[in-house]
Amino acid sequence: MAVLGRYQCVCLCLLLALWVAVSGGLVARAESPAPTMHQVQAAFLFNFAKFVTWPDDAFQRSENSLIIGVLGEDPFGAVLVMGKKLAVKRFVRIQDAVNSHILFLSSSEESHLPQILKWLERATVLTVSDMEEFAERGGMVAFTVEDQKVRFNVNVGAVERVGLKMGSQLLKLAKIVGDKPRMGN
């Protein structure tokens, strides 16, 4: 019997966390507190990587590691940790974050969102945020909370415009949204 590597164990644990979050969870015991919203979101970020396909050259710039970036104030803290073939990086400037594969845009960056999305429009970066109507404003994946459960919306058009592909298993769990029409254009 093969022994699972640390990376595989982490992936399996995160997949379980994703399943628990999406399915509504299991009955919680009094001694085990429910995961926080940021813990659930961190599990989603890790698991999005399993269901998104990047162009072949996307990993050449990162020495074959998957880079999960956080732009702006980091709501996750120690919840996002590094592992083998996985790098978590925090950024202050969007120019430094363009080599990420998945980029969480903190709500602290909301006033700069149009400029950030413009900067990333040709980058093969999966953008994720918990900003209000993030996916409808041109982002790719937006975390929402419905009935005290973390859910997510996907703007498939935004994903496809940069050459990424999302697996049908992930899209089945998402609410599909499109870009809002822009006023004055």
Side-chain angles (χ1 to χ4, degrees), residues 26 28-37 39-40:
L26 304 172
R29 295 182 183 171
E31 68 271 2
S32 61
T36 67
M37 179 177 66
Q39 288 171 326
V40 173

Side-chain angles (χ1 to χ4, degrees), residues 48-49 52-56 58-59 66 101-102 124-126 163-165:
F48 287 154
V52 174
T53 304
W54 281 265
D56 292 337
F59 288 90
L66 174 76
H101 296 96
I102 299 173
T124 54
V125 177
L126 181 71
L164 301 178
K165 296 177 184 167

Side-chain angles (χ1 to χ4, degrees), residues 33-181:
T36 67
M37 179 177 66
H38 293 310
Q39 288 171 326
V40 173
Q41 289 176 344
F44 273 108
L45 288 176
F46 283 110
N47 282 290
F48 287 154
K50 296 177 189 172
F51 300 100
V52 174
T53 304
W54 281 265
D56 292 337
D57 63 346
F59 288 90
Q60 292 174 353
R61 64 180 187 254
S62 64
E63 298 174 5
N64 294 321
S65 291
L66 174 76
I67 298 174
I68 297 178
V70 177
L71 181 65
E73 293 176 17
D74 183 0
F76 303 107
V79 174
L80 283 177
V81 295
M82 280 192 277
K84 188 176 181 182
K85 297 274 185 185
L86 173 69
V88 177
K89 297 183 179 184
R90 278 104 179 146
F91 302 101
V92 176
R93 300 173 343 129
I94 186 58
Q95 296 88 334
D96 301 327
V98 296
N99 287 332
S100 299
H101 296 96
I102 299 173
L103 182 62
F104 180 84
L105 303 174
S106 173
S107 58
S108 67
E109 302 303 303
E110 188 157 11
S111 64
H112 306 291
L113 183 60
Q115 297 89 345
I116 291 169
L117 293 176
K118 181 76 173 160
W119 189 269
L120 293 172
E121 70 184 6
R122 295 205 195 315
T124 54
V125 177
L126 181 71
T127 57
V128 182
S129 185
D130 57 2
M131 292 180 208
E132 193 73 27
E133 294 189 333
F134 175 72
E136 292 87 344
R137 294 191 284 168
M140 296 177 194
V141 179
F143 288 126
T144 63
V145 177
E146 296 175 18
D147 299 324
Q148 299 179 338
K149 296 175 189 147
V150 176
R151 305 280 190 212
F152 59 97
N153 298 342
V154 172
N155 182 331
V156 176
V159 171
E160 291 175 348
R161 278 193 293 272
V162 299
L164 301 178
K165 296 177 184 167
M166 278 195 169
S168 60
Q169 306 92 329
L170 183 62
L171 293 174
K172 286 179 189 175
L173 300 173
K175 176 181 175 187
I176 306 302
V177 299
D179 292 325
K180 271 186 166 179

